[in-house]
Amino acid sequence: MEQKSIREQKREARAEARARLAGCTPEDTARWGEAMFEYLRVLPVWNTARTVMCFVSTPSEPDTRPLLQAALRQGRALCLPRQCEAGWMEAHRVAALFALRPGPHGILEPPCTLPVVDPAAIDLIVAPCLAAAPSGVRLGHGGGFYDRFFARSGAARVVFCPSAAVFSRLPADEFDLPADLVITERGIL
């Protein structure tokens, strides 16, 4: 029997994760985001972070607005990702959320005129995923943006993942950098 490649295994896991989350509602994603931030906000990794980078959630992801608003309200340097050339992203510091505009994939991004923050200056990165494993392995959409960014930063890495998209293990290759913590709406893995 021929063993499937890592690429094939990832494709299958992505399809399964999408199927598991297919019925999520805006109420679900709002509830998930609030719960996940409640777990994060009591951790030292949040309380000591002066510079925080977080994804801007899409309608099918845990809502990150509670985290984004808290970071701004608490005077932390808040960085949001902006897609650049193929496979590359930058972190831009924002002072407010109203100026965000849809990027190449329809995800809200900061304008390119805002200051770019060196990845090494970021204390905490909260990343999205399609699926995650308790080991910290995260499965994104396949572009590699976050893995390449993680490699340039020594920041603590946290993934927000709905419990329905947690797999006992996920395929990974040498370029996949695991998260330090996986947070679901039910707790910290």
Side-chain angles (χ1 to χ4, degrees), residues 63-125:
D63 187 354
T64 56
R65 283 178 299 177
L67 184 156
L68 302 176
Q69 292 165 348
L72 290 171
R73 204 171 43 252
Q74 295 170 3
R76 298 171 197 268
L78 176 63
C79 305
L80 300 177
R82 177 178 172 72
Q83 184 179 333
C84 303
E85 65 266 7
W88 198 256
M89 73 179 185
E90 294 178 331
H92 289 261
R93 184 167 178 179
V94 300
L97 303 177
F98 63 84
L100 303 180
R101 298 289 179 262
H105 298 287
I107 300 169
L108 292 177
E109 296 184 341
C112 63
T113 55
L114 292 178
V116 174
V117 176
D118 181 344
I122 297 171
D123 301 311
L124 170 64
I125 299 172

Side-chain angles (χ1 to χ4, degrees), residues 8-186:
E8 291 170 308
Q9 292 174 48
K10 286 182 176 184
R11 188 172 24 83
E12 289 176 2
R14 284 186 182 98
E16 184 176 340
R18 285 184 184 103
R20 289 182 182 189
L21 296 171
C24 76
T25 66
E27 293 79 20
D28 292 331
T29 59
R31 184 175 40 81
W32 295 341
E34 287 176 20
M36 290 173 191
F37 180 57
E38 285 302 311
Y39 286 112
L40 176 63
R41 65 183 286 229
V42 298
L43 296 175
V45 71
W46 171 262
N47 290 307
T48 60
R50 292 184 311 270
T51 304
V52 176
M53 178 178 172
C54 182
F55 69 102
V56 178
S57 54
T58 65
S60 63
E61 294 174 319
D63 187 354
T64 56
R65 283 178 299 177
L67 184 156
L68 302 176
Q69 292 165 348
L72 290 171
R73 204 171 43 252
Q74 295 170 3
R76 298 171 197 268
L78 176 63
C79 305
L80 300 177
R82 177 178 172 72
Q83 184 179 333
C84 303
E85 65 266 7
W88 198 256
M89 73 179 185
E90 294 178 331
H92 289 261
R93 184 167 178 179
V94 300
L97 303 177
F98 63 84
L100 303 180
R101 298 289 179 262
H105 298 287
I107 300 169
L108 292 177
E109 296 184 341
C112 63
T113 55
L114 292 178
V116 174
V117 176
D118 181 344
I122 297 171
D123 301 311
L124 170 64
I125 299 172
V126 179
C129 68
L130 271 175
S135 64
V137 172
R138 67 176 279 284
L139 191 62
H141 291 275
F145 291 97
Y146 278 89
D147 289 311
R148 280 189 283 285
F149 196 88
F150 288 167
R152 297 167 32 221
S153 175
R157 300 184 295 255
V158 172
V159 172
F160 277 7
C161 183
S163 58
V166 173
F167 289 63
S168 60
R169 65 179 275 290
L170 286 168
D173 59 34
E174 69 272 15
F175 302 110
D176 295 319
L177 300 177
D180 299 307
L181 292 171
V182 176
I183 300 179
T184 75
E185 75 279 13
R186 296 180 181 165

